Amino acid sequence: MSTLAVCRSIYTEEQFHKTYGSHKDLERPPLRLRDRLARSCTCSAHAFLHLLKRRVPILSWLPRYKLKKWLLGDLIAGLTVGIVHIPQGMAFALLTSVAPVHGLYTSFFPVVLYMLLGTGRHVSTGTFAVLSLMTGSVIDEHLAQNPLDRNLTSEEQSDIYAQRIGMAAAIAFLMGIIMVAMFVLQLGFLSTYLSEPIVKAFTNAAAFHVTISQIQNMLGLPLPRFTGSFTIFRTLTSVVQSLPMTNVAELVISILCLIVLIPIKELNARFRTKLRTPIPGEIVMVLLATGVTFASSLDSRYNVQIVGSIPAGFPAPKLPSLKVIPKVVGDTIAITFVGYAVSVSLAMIYAEKHRYSIDPNQELLAHGISNIVSSLFTCFPSSATLATTNILESAGAHTQLSGFFTSGVVLIVLIWIGPLFNYLPKAVLACINVVSLRQMFLQFRELPELWKISKTDFSVWVVTWMAVVVLNVEMGLAVGVVFSMMTVVCRTQRAQCTVMGRAVSTEIYRPVEQNDKCYEIPGLKILSYNSPIYYGNRDIYKDAVSQIVGLTQEKIRKREKALLVLEQARKMNISVVDSGIANPVFHQDGCILKPEADMEIKSLIIDCTGVIFIDSAGARLFIQVVPWSTVLCSPRIMQTSWIASRHHSGEPKKFN
């Protein structure tokens, strides 16, 4: 068996700097402000072209497009998603408390803009149920009058819808401004604070809010939407109390839609790999329901709520109502973070699957400009969507060009086919909303596996889910983020202080408790702590060290007199040998005090390799280690050594 002997010299920090130099010696002198501005403002044709390709990615990937290999997949996937966008856009507009035609606008403009500016090849943007729910809650909170009130005239309903879409467009405009500002400040990393358990629990709980909010449309009950805490329970109570007012015709329509749509969804999910394109159950149901309602005059004979007039073409661009922005700033920030976190998460998932990379900050710019421009055409907030992104990838999309074909389908509907959906029952859109949430509800299946992997993440999932369900969407998200951060703090406080031992026939040190082949060197105690030492865990660390090295109150009292003697010592010299541990020698009245041979611990080494930072409270704690070591070792000898670990910059950690 071959052996490897490693001989190392022990340095003080001063000796190390003399031998190898400090990080300050390697640093370049800082540039003056004038030089920095001159360097940042210089431009060349090559640099401009490179910047343009980074900010408009279509200029980078379109010239390299493989026409024969990718076009068919992008065409089929784009057309499939476009067909899904039509009923889903109108359904999510209903969830946003605006007219259904605005859902079609939101399914067109963001798709085109993301195709030009986005970096995710398999991301489908447009209407998203969670954002629609959050936006609708904000609108209902500030505009209490319900446009579904059957006592209102058509003109009054139009005025209410105009006010609502004005506020929704203002939220989208502000959302885009926030995203662009985050892009300028390079704040794409902020989405990392929304961890995967938070996002999944949040979307799952939001799916319950969406489902409960659609019950009244499925039953034909003209009930107001509740806002604030306990929304789900208040809505259920109101629905139960209003059950005698149920519109039987709309109830029958809802039941028939669910009977058709749920099996189609299950078939698409089960035979996903065998079906070239999923069965378009939603668009088929929309066409059938529209035809039956028009032929049977269900709206006039049975008072069935229909979509109403869908104008052909596009609205004239105009700036949203900016006077409502101060009222919705707080809610818009929450909507922005949710939309960006979901969008980046989806983009990263499929980028890793297909082995390409995305730029999170460029995603901020893409979604920010999409929302700003879309708001000028009366669109509500948009982001990447779970359902259509999944369909886009499974249908064989290769690049962002699939968005061109998706927007083409929506464009045809907006220009020519849209007015044919005037007689579409709103109950059908409510059923489409509920069925589209299937993927979110199935996230419950991941809980057993999450429990096995990390009980902390499981607790974050449960707390976030309960907060969103019991409170409301915005407050629940805030609770989830705060609780997740608290778990991070608690993990730093629960880090164990381990005793390191030397592996047999090596100079490698490993935790003694985890390795039977490691042994402690007599008279030497090596402690390792893999966590930052700060005000939150300094006392925990102090107690752990005291327990390991055997520091008790009785021993402290015994050595109290010895400590007083040491405090009166006039000087302490530390001699360092090339291969050994620092040996302090105390001088008192000109006499050298020799160590006592019967002491168990003669030297204490603290390995700070795993300590990523130390605050002032932690630094004071290390200063206190010296008196502890005096008590531990002997009134006549104290040996404390430090293992200096290096920061990223290469500077050894200092504890002065």
Side-chain angles (χ1 to χ4, degrees), residues 282-341:
E282 290 88 349
I283 192 66
V284 171
M285 183 54 62
V286 165
L287 295 175
L288 287 176
T290 303
V292 171
T293 303
F294 175 76
S296 305
S297 301
L298 297 180
D299 56 324
S300 58
R301 295 175 59 185
Y302 299 101
N303 203 18
V304 172
Q305 288 289 311
I306 59 175
V307 168
S309 175
I310 297 182
F314 296 100
K318 63 177 181 179
L319 197 66
S321 177
L322 301 182
K323 63 181 180 181
V324 303
I325 286 182
K327 303 178 183 178
V328 298
V329 170
D331 298 306
T332 305
I333 292 175
I335 294 173
T336 302
F337 273 93
V338 172
Y340 176 63

Short mmCIF file of all heavy atoms in Angstrom, two decimals, residues 282-341:
data_model
loop_
_atom_site.label_atom_id
_atom_site.label_comp_id
_atom_site.label_asym_id
_atom_site.label_seq_id
_atom_site.Cartn_x
_atom_site.Cartn_y
_atom_site.Cartn_z
N GLU A 282 -60.80 22.40 -25.30
CA GLU A 282 -61.36 23.70 -24.93
C GLU A 282 -61.96 24.42 -26.12
O GLU A 282 -63.09 24.93 -26.05
CB GLU A 282 -60.26 24.58 -24.30
CG GLU A 282 -59.79 24.12 -22.93
CD GLU A 282 -58.67 23.11 -23.02
OE1 GLU A 282 -58.39 22.61 -24.14
OE2 GLU A 282 -58.07 22.78 -21.98
N ILE A 283 -61.23 24.44 -27.25
CA ILE A 283 -61.75 25.17 -28.40
C ILE A 283 -62.97 24.46 -28.99
O ILE A 283 -63.91 25.11 -29.47
CB ILE A 283 -60.64 25.35 -29.47
CG1 ILE A 283 -61.09 26.35 -30.53
CG2 ILE A 283 -60.26 24.03 -30.10
CD1 ILE A 283 -61.25 27.75 -30.02
N VAL A 284 -62.99 23.13 -28.92
CA VAL A 284 -64.16 22.39 -29.40
C VAL A 284 -65.37 22.71 -28.54
O VAL A 284 -66.49 22.95 -29.04
CB VAL A 284 -63.87 20.87 -29.39
CG1 VAL A 284 -65.14 20.08 -29.67
CG2 VAL A 284 -62.79 20.53 -30.40
N MET A 285 -65.17 22.77 -27.21
CA MET A 285 -66.28 23.08 -26.32
C MET A 285 -66.75 24.51 -26.52
O MET A 285 -67.97 24.79 -26.46
CB MET A 285 -65.84 22.86 -24.87
CG MET A 285 -66.94 23.10 -23.84
SD MET A 285 -68.45 22.15 -24.18
CE MET A 285 -67.80 20.48 -24.05
N VAL A 286 -65.83 25.42 -26.78
CA VAL A 286 -66.22 26.81 -27.03
C VAL A 286 -67.09 26.91 -28.28
O VAL A 286 -68.13 27.59 -28.28
CB VAL A 286 -64.95 27.70 -27.16
CG1 VAL A 286 -65.31 29.05 -27.77
CG2 VAL A 286 -64.30 27.90 -25.81
N LEU A 287 -66.69 26.23 -29.34
CA LEU A 287 -67.47 26.27 -30.58
C LEU A 287 -68.85 25.64 -30.40
O LEU A 287 -69.87 26.20 -30.85
CB LEU A 287 -66.70 25.57 -31.69
CG LEU A 287 -65.37 26.23 -32.12
CD1 LEU A 287 -64.65 25.35 -33.13
CD2 LEU A 287 -65.63 27.61 -32.69
N LEU A 288 -68.90 24.49 -29.73
CA LEU A 288 -70.18 23.82 -29.51
C LEU A 288 -71.11 24.66 -28.64
O LEU A 288 -72.30 24.83 -28.96
CB LEU A 288 -69.95 22.45 -28.87
CG LEU A 288 -69.36 21.36 -29.77
CD1 LEU A 288 -69.10 20.09 -28.96
CD2 LEU A 288 -70.31 21.06 -30.93
N ALA A 289 -70.58 25.18 -27.53
CA ALA A 289 -71.43 25.96 -26.62
C ALA A 289 -71.92 27.23 -27.29
O ALA A 289 -73.09 27.64 -27.10
CB ALA A 289 -70.63 26.30 -25.36
N THR A 290 -71.06 27.87 -28.09
CA THR A 290 -71.48 29.09 -28.78
C THR A 290 -72.60 28.78 -29.79
O THR A 290 -73.60 29.52 -29.86
CB THR A 290 -70.29 29.72 -29.51
OG1 THR A 290 -69.25 30.00 -28.56
CG2 THR A 290 -70.70 31.02 -30.19
N GLY A 291 -72.43 27.70 -30.52
CA GLY A 291 -73.45 27.34 -31.51
C GLY A 291 -74.77 26.97 -30.86
O GLY A 291 -75.85 27.41 -31.32
N VAL A 292 -74.74 26.19 -29.78
CA VAL A 292 -75.98 25.78 -29.11
C VAL A 292 -76.68 26.99 -28.50
O VAL A 292 -77.92 27.13 -28.57
CB VAL A 292 -75.67 24.71 -28.04
CG1 VAL A 292 -76.90 24.44 -27.18
CG2 VAL A 292 -75.18 23.43 -28.70
N THR A 293 -75.90 27.88 -27.87
CA THR A 293 -76.50 29.05 -27.23
C THR A 293 -77.15 29.97 -28.28
O THR A 293 -78.25 30.51 -28.06
CB THR A 293 -75.43 29.83 -26.45
OG1 THR A 293 -74.82 28.96 -25.51
CG2 THR A 293 -76.04 31.02 -25.73
N PHE A 294 -76.48 30.14 -29.40
CA PHE A 294 -77.04 30.99 -30.44
C PHE A 294 -78.30 30.37 -31.05
O PHE A 294 -79.31 31.06 -31.26
CB PHE A 294 -75.99 31.23 -31.54
CG PHE A 294 -76.51 31.98 -32.72
CD1 PHE A 294 -76.71 33.35 -32.64
CD2 PHE A 294 -76.81 31.33 -33.91
CE1 PHE A 294 -77.20 34.05 -33.75
CE2 PHE A 294 -77.29 32.02 -35.00
CZ PHE A 294 -77.49 33.39 -34.92
N ALA A 295 -78.26 29.06 -31.31
CA ALA A 295 -79.40 28.40 -31.94
C ALA A 295 -80.59 28.32 -31.01
O ALA A 295 -81.75 28.41 -31.45
CB ALA A 295 -78.99 27.01 -32.41
N SER A 296 -80.35 28.14 -29.72
CA SER A 296 -81.44 27.95 -28.75
C SER A 296 -81.82 29.22 -28.02
O SER A 296 -82.74 29.20 -27.18
CB SER A 296 -81.05 26.88 -27.72
OG SER A 296 -80.68 25.67 -28.37
N SER A 297 -81.10 30.31 -28.27
CA SER A 297 -81.37 31.59 -27.59
C SER A 297 -81.37 31.42 -26.07
O SER A 297 -82.27 31.89 -25.36
CB SER A 297 -82.70 32.19 -28.06
OG SER A 297 -82.68 32.41 -29.46
N LEU A 298 -80.37 30.74 -25.56
CA LEU A 298 -80.31 30.48 -24.12
C LEU A 298 -80.15 31.76 -23.32
O LEU A 298 -80.59 31.83 -22.16
CB LEU A 298 -79.14 29.53 -23.81
CG LEU A 298 -79.22 28.12 -24.41
CD1 LEU A 298 -77.99 27.31 -24.02
CD2 LEU A 298 -80.49 27.41 -23.96
N ASP A 299 -79.55 32.77 -23.91
CA ASP A 299 -79.33 34.01 -23.17
C ASP A 299 -80.64 34.74 -22.89
O ASP A 299 -80.82 35.33 -21.82
CB ASP A 299 -78.37 34.93 -23.92
CG ASP A 299 -78.87 35.22 -25.33
OD1 ASP A 299 -79.45 34.31 -25.95
OD2 ASP A 299 -78.66 36.36 -25.80
N SER A 300 -81.57 34.71 -23.83
CA SER A 300 -82.84 35.41 -23.64
C SER A 300 -83.90 34.52 -23.00
O SER A 300 -84.73 34.99 -22.21
CB SER A 300 -83.35 35.94 -24.98
OG SER A 300 -83.50 34.87 -25.91
N ARG A 301 -83.89 33.22 -23.29
CA ARG A 301 -84.92 32.32 -22.77
C ARG A 301 -84.62 31.87 -21.34
O ARG A 301 -85.55 31.74 -20.52
CB ARG A 301 -85.06 31.10 -23.68
CG ARG A 301 -85.57 31.43 -25.08
CD ARG A 301 -85.57 30.21 -25.97
NE ARG A 301 -86.40 29.13 -25.45
CZ ARG A 301 -86.49 27.92 -25.98
NH1 ARG A 301 -85.78 27.63 -27.08
NH2 ARG A 301 -87.27 27.00 -25.45
N TYR A 302 -83.36 31.63 -21.02
CA TYR A 302 -83.01 31.10 -19.69
C TYR A 302 -82.05 32.02 -18.92
O TYR A 302 -81.51 31.61 -17.90
CB TYR A 302 -82.39 29.71 -19.83
CG TYR A 302 -83.31 28.70 -20.46
CD1 TYR A 302 -83.18 28.36 -21.80
CD2 TYR A 302 -84.33 28.11 -19.73
CE1 TYR A 302 -84.03 27.43 -22.39
CE2 TYR A 302 -85.19 27.18 -20.31
CZ TYR A 302 -85.03 26.85 -21.65
OH TYR A 302 -85.88 25.93 -22.23
N ASN A 303 -81.88 33.23 -19.43
CA ASN A 303 -81.06 34.23 -18.74
C ASN A 303 -79.63 33.74 -18.51
O ASN A 303 -79.04 33.94 -17.44
CB ASN A 303 -81.71 34.62 -17.41
CG ASN A 303 -81.24 35.98 -16.94
OD1 ASN A 303 -80.71 36.77 -17.73
ND2 ASN A 303 -81.41 36.25 -15.66
N VAL A 304 -79.07 33.08 -19.50
CA VAL A 304 -77.69 32.59 -19.41
C VAL A 304 -76.74 33.75 -19.73
O VAL A 304 -76.91 34.45 -20.73
CB VAL A 304 -77.46 31.42 -20.40
CG1 VAL A 304 -75.98 31.04 -20.45
CG2 VAL A 304 -78.31 30.23 -19.99
N GLN A 305 -75.75 33.95 -18.85
CA GLN A 305 -74.77 35.02 -19.05
C GLN A 305 -73.83 34.65 -20.19
O GLN A 305 -73.22 33.58 -20.20
CB GLN A 305 -73.96 35.24 -17.77
CG GLN A 305 -74.75 35.90 -16.65
CD GLN A 305 -75.02 37.36 -16.95
OE1 GLN A 305 -74.12 38.11 -17.32
NE2 GLN A 305 -76.27 37.77 -16.80
N ILE A 306 -73.71 35.55 -21.19
CA ILE A 306 -72.84 35.30 -22.34
C ILE A 306 -71.72 36.34 -22.38
O ILE A 306 -71.75 37.34 -21.65
CB ILE A 306 -73.64 35.33 -23.66
CG1 ILE A 306 -74.31 36.69 -23.85
CG2 ILE A 306 -74.66 34.21 -23.70
CD1 ILE A 306 -75.01 36.85 -25.18
N VAL A 307 -70.74 36.09 -23.23
CA VAL A 307 -69.58 36.96 -23.33
C VAL A 307 -69.97 38.35 -23.82
O VAL A 307 -69.49 39.37 -23.34
CB VAL A 307 -68.52 36.33 -24.26
CG1 VAL A 307 -67.44 37.33 -24.62
CG2 VAL A 307 -67.92 35.10 -23.61
N GLY A 308 -70.85 38.41 -24.77
CA GLY A 308 -71.26 39.69 -25.31
C GLY A 308 -70.41 40.11 -26.50
O GLY A 308 -69.71 39.30 -27.11
N SER A 309 -70.45 41.36 -26.81
CA SER A 309 -69.81 41.87 -28.02
C SER A 309 -68.29 41.75 -27.93
O SER A 309 -67.67 42.16 -26.94
CB SER A 309 -70.20 43.34 -28.24
OG SER A 309 -69.50 43.87 -29.34
N ILE A 310 -67.70 41.17 -28.97
CA ILE A 310 -66.25 41.09 -29.11
C ILE A 310 -65.90 41.85 -30.38
O ILE A 310 -66.12 41.36 -31.49
CB ILE A 310 -65.76 39.63 -29.19
CG1 ILE A 310 -66.07 38.90 -27.89
CG2 ILE A 310 -64.26 39.59 -29.48
CD1 ILE A 310 -65.59 37.46 -27.87
N PRO A 311 -65.35 43.05 -30.24
CA PRO A 311 -65.06 43.85 -31.44
C PRO A 311 -63.93 43.25 -32.26
O PRO A 311 -62.99 42.64 -31.72
CB PRO A 311 -64.67 45.22 -30.88
CG PRO A 311 -64.19 44.92 -29.49
CD PRO A 311 -64.99 43.75 -29.00
N ALA A 312 -64.01 43.40 -33.56
CA ALA A 312 -62.96 42.91 -34.44
C ALA A 312 -61.82 43.93 -34.50
O ALA A 312 -62.04 45.14 -34.38
CB ALA A 312 -63.52 42.67 -35.85
N GLY A 313 -60.60 43.43 -34.65
CA GLY A 313 -59.44 44.31 -34.75
C GLY A 313 -58.84 44.62 -33.39
O GLY A 313 -59.09 43.94 -32.39
N PHE A 314 -58.03 45.69 -33.36
CA PHE A 314 -57.30 46.08 -32.15
C PHE A 314 -57.75 47.45 -31.68
O PHE A 314 -58.15 48.29 -32.50
CB PHE A 314 -55.79 46.11 -32.42
CG PHE A 314 -55.22 44.77 -32.77
CD1 PHE A 314 -54.98 44.43 -34.09
CD2 PHE A 314 -54.92 43.85 -31.79
CE1 PHE A 314 -54.45 43.21 -34.43
CE2 PHE A 314 -54.39 42.62 -32.10
CZ PHE A 314 -54.15 42.29 -33.43
N PRO A 315 -57.65 47.71 -30.40
CA PRO A 315 -57.97 49.05 -29.91
C PRO A 315 -56.83 50.02 -30.24
O PRO A 315 -55.69 49.61 -30.44
CB PRO A 315 -58.10 48.85 -28.39
CG PRO A 315 -57.20 47.68 -28.10
CD PRO A 315 -57.31 46.78 -29.30
N ALA A 316 -57.15 51.29 -30.31
CA ALA A 316 -56.11 52.29 -30.55
C ALA A 316 -55.21 52.39 -29.33
O ALA A 316 -55.69 52.38 -28.19
CB ALA A 316 -56.77 53.64 -30.84
N PRO A 317 -53.90 52.47 -29.52
CA PRO A 317 -53.00 52.54 -28.36
C PRO A 317 -53.20 53.83 -27.58
O PRO A 317 -53.35 54.91 -28.15
CB PRO A 317 -51.61 52.47 -28.99
CG PRO A 317 -51.79 52.92 -30.39
CD PRO A 317 -53.17 52.49 -30.80
N LYS A 318 -53.20 53.71 -26.26
CA LYS A 318 -53.32 54.88 -25.39
C LYS A 318 -52.65 54.57 -24.06
O LYS A 318 -52.55 53.41 -23.65
CB LYS A 318 -54.79 55.25 -25.18
CG LYS A 318 -55.61 54.20 -24.47
CD LYS A 318 -57.04 54.67 -24.24
CE LYS A 318 -57.86 53.60 -23.49
NZ LYS A 318 -59.25 54.06 -23.25
N LEU A 319 -52.21 55.62 -23.39
CA LEU A 319 -51.53 55.45 -22.12
C LEU A 319 -52.55 55.08 -21.04
O LEU A 319 -53.64 55.65 -20.99
CB LEU A 319 -50.83 56.75 -21.73
CG LEU A 319 -49.75 56.67 -20.65
CD1 LEU A 319 -48.58 55.84 -21.14
CD2 LEU A 319 -49.29 58.08 -20.26
N PRO A 320 -52.24 54.09 -20.19
CA PRO A 320 -53.20 53.71 -19.14
C PRO A 320 -53.46 54.85 -18.17
O PRO A 320 -52.74 55.86 -18.14
CB PRO A 320 -52.48 52.54 -18.44
CG PRO A 320 -51.47 52.06 -19.40
CD PRO A 320 -51.04 53.25 -20.19
N SER A 321 -54.47 54.67 -17.36
CA SER A 321 -54.83 55.68 -16.36
C SER A 321 -53.77 55.69 -15.25
O SER A 321 -53.74 54.81 -14.39
CB SER A 321 -56.21 55.37 -15.78
OG SER A 321 -56.54 56.29 -14.77
N LEU A 322 -52.88 56.69 -15.30
CA LEU A 322 -51.76 56.74 -14.35
C LEU A 322 -52.18 57.21 -12.96
O LEU A 322 -51.44 57.02 -12.00
CB LEU A 322 -50.67 57.65 -14.89
CG LEU A 322 -50.08 57.26 -16.26
CD1 LEU A 322 -48.97 58.23 -16.65
CD2 LEU A 322 -49.56 55.84 -16.23
N LYS A 323 -53.35 57.81 -12.84
CA LYS A 323 -53.75 58.34 -11.54
C LYS A 323 -54.09 57.23 -10.53
O LYS A 323 -54.11 57.49 -9.32
CB LYS A 323 -54.97 59.25 -11.70
CG LYS A 323 -56.21 58.55 -12.24
CD LYS A 323 -57.36 59.53 -12.40
CE LYS A 323 -58.61 58.83 -12.94
NZ LYS A 323 -59.73 59.78 -13.12
N VAL A 324 -54.30 56.00 -11.02
CA VAL A 324 -54.62 54.91 -10.10
C VAL A 324 -53.35 54.18 -9.64
O VAL A 324 -53.42 53.33 -8.75
CB VAL A 324 -55.57 53.89 -10.76
CG1 VAL A 324 -56.84 54.57 -11.23
CG2 VAL A 324 -54.89 53.19 -11.94
N ILE A 325 -52.20 54.52 -10.22
CA ILE A 325 -50.97 53.80 -9.89
C ILE A 325 -50.60 53.91 -8.41
O ILE A 325 -50.21 52.91 -7.79
CB ILE A 325 -49.82 54.28 -10.80
CG1 ILE A 325 -50.03 53.72 -12.21
CG2 ILE A 325 -48.46 53.86 -10.25
CD1 ILE A 325 -48.93 54.09 -13.19
N PRO A 326 -50.70 55.10 -7.77
CA PRO A 326 -50.36 55.15 -6.34
C PRO A 326 -51.19 54.21 -5.47
O PRO A 326 -50.73 53.77 -4.42
CB PRO A 326 -50.61 56.62 -5.98
CG PRO A 326 -50.45 57.36 -7.26
CD PRO A 326 -50.97 56.43 -8.32
N LYS A 327 -52.40 53.89 -5.91
CA LYS A 327 -53.25 53.00 -5.12
C LYS A 327 -52.83 51.54 -5.20
O LYS A 327 -53.16 50.75 -4.31
CB LYS A 327 -54.71 53.12 -5.58
CG LYS A 327 -55.28 54.52 -5.53
CD LYS A 327 -56.71 54.53 -6.06
CE LYS A 327 -57.29 55.93 -6.09
NZ LYS A 327 -58.68 55.93 -6.65
N VAL A 328 -52.13 51.17 -6.26
CA VAL A 328 -51.87 49.75 -6.51
C VAL A 328 -50.38 49.41 -6.50
O VAL A 328 -50.00 48.33 -6.94
CB VAL A 328 -52.49 49.32 -7.86
CG1 VAL A 328 -53.99 49.50 -7.84
CG2 VAL A 328 -51.88 50.12 -9.02
N VAL A 329 -49.53 50.31 -5.99
CA VAL A 329 -48.09 50.08 -6.04
C VAL A 329 -47.71 48.82 -5.26
O VAL A 329 -46.99 47.94 -5.76
CB VAL A 329 -47.32 51.30 -5.49
CG1 VAL A 329 -45.85 50.96 -5.32
CG2 VAL A 329 -47.48 52.48 -6.43
N GLY A 330 -48.19 48.71 -4.01
CA GLY A 330 -47.84 47.56 -3.19
C GLY A 330 -48.28 46.24 -3.79
O GLY A 330 -47.52 45.26 -3.83
N ASP A 331 -49.52 46.19 -4.27
CA ASP A 331 -50.02 44.96 -4.88
C ASP A 331 -49.28 44.64 -6.18
O ASP A 331 -49.03 43.47 -6.48
CB ASP A 331 -51.52 45.09 -5.17
CG ASP A 331 -52.33 45.30 -3.91
OD1 ASP A 331 -52.19 44.48 -2.99
OD2 ASP A 331 -53.09 46.28 -3.83
N THR A 332 -48.92 45.67 -6.94
CA THR A 332 -48.22 45.43 -8.20
C THR A 332 -46.83 44.85 -7.96
O THR A 332 -46.35 44.03 -8.75
CB THR A 332 -48.12 46.74 -9.00
OG1 THR A 332 -49.43 47.28 -9.18
CG2 THR A 332 -47.49 46.50 -10.35
N ILE A 333 -46.15 45.27 -6.89
CA ILE A 333 -44.83 44.70 -6.58
C ILE A 333 -44.94 43.20 -6.34
O ILE A 333 -44.13 42.40 -6.84
CB ILE A 333 -44.22 45.42 -5.36
CG1 ILE A 333 -43.89 46.87 -5.73
CG2 ILE A 333 -42.98 44.69 -4.87
CD1 ILE A 333 -43.38 47.69 -4.56
N ALA A 334 -45.97 42.79 -5.59
CA ALA A 334 -46.18 41.36 -5.35
C ALA A 334 -46.48 40.63 -6.66
O ALA A 334 -45.95 39.53 -6.92
CB ALA A 334 -47.32 41.15 -4.36
N ILE A 335 -47.33 41.22 -7.51
CA ILE A 335 -47.66 40.61 -8.81
C ILE A 335 -46.40 40.50 -9.66
O ILE A 335 -46.19 39.48 -10.34
CB ILE A 335 -48.74 41.45 -9.52
CG1 ILE A 335 -50.06 41.38 -8.74
CG2 ILE A 335 -48.96 40.96 -10.94
CD1 ILE A 335 -51.14 42.30 -9.28
N THR A 336 -45.55 41.51 -9.62
CA THR A 336 -44.32 41.50 -10.42
C THR A 336 -43.40 40.36 -9.99
O THR A 336 -42.88 39.62 -10.85
CB THR A 336 -43.59 42.84 -10.27
OG1 THR A 336 -44.46 43.89 -10.69
CG2 THR A 336 -42.33 42.86 -11.11
N PHE A 337 -43.19 40.21 -8.70
CA PHE A 337 -42.29 39.16 -8.23
C PHE A 337 -42.83 37.77 -8.56
O PHE A 337 -42.07 36.87 -8.93
CB PHE A 337 -42.05 39.31 -6.73
CG PHE A 337 -40.93 40.24 -6.39
CD1 PHE A 337 -41.18 41.58 -6.14
CD2 PHE A 337 -39.63 39.79 -6.34
CE1 PHE A 337 -40.14 42.44 -5.85
CE2 PHE A 337 -38.59 40.65 -6.05
CZ PHE A 337 -38.84 41.98 -5.79
N VAL A 338 -44.13 37.59 -8.41
CA VAL A 338 -44.71 36.29 -8.73
C VAL A 338 -44.57 35.99 -10.22
O VAL A 338 -44.14 34.90 -10.62
CB VAL A 338 -46.19 36.24 -8.30
CG1 VAL A 338 -46.86 34.97 -8.81
CG2 VAL A 338 -46.30 36.31 -6.79
N GLY A 339 -44.92 36.97 -11.06
CA GLY A 339 -44.82 36.75 -12.50
C GLY A 339 -43.41 36.47 -12.95
O GLY A 339 -43.17 35.56 -13.75
N TYR A 340 -42.45 37.24 -12.42
CA TYR A 340 -41.07 37.02 -12.83
C TYR A 340 -40.53 35.69 -12.30
O TYR A 340 -39.82 34.97 -13.03
CB TYR A 340 -40.19 38.17 -12.33
CG TYR A 340 -38.73 37.97 -12.64
CD1 TYR A 340 -38.28 37.90 -13.96
CD2 TYR A 340 -37.79 37.83 -11.63
CE1 TYR A 340 -36.94 37.71 -14.25
CE2 TYR A 340 -36.45 37.63 -11.91
CZ TYR A 340 -36.04 37.57 -13.22
OH TYR A 340 -34.71 37.35 -13.51
N ALA A 341 -40.84 35.36 -11.06
CA ALA A 341 -40.35 34.10 -10.49
C ALA A 341 -40.88 32.90 -11.27
O ALA A 341 -40.12 31.96 -11.58
CB ALA A 341 -40.75 34.00 -9.02
#
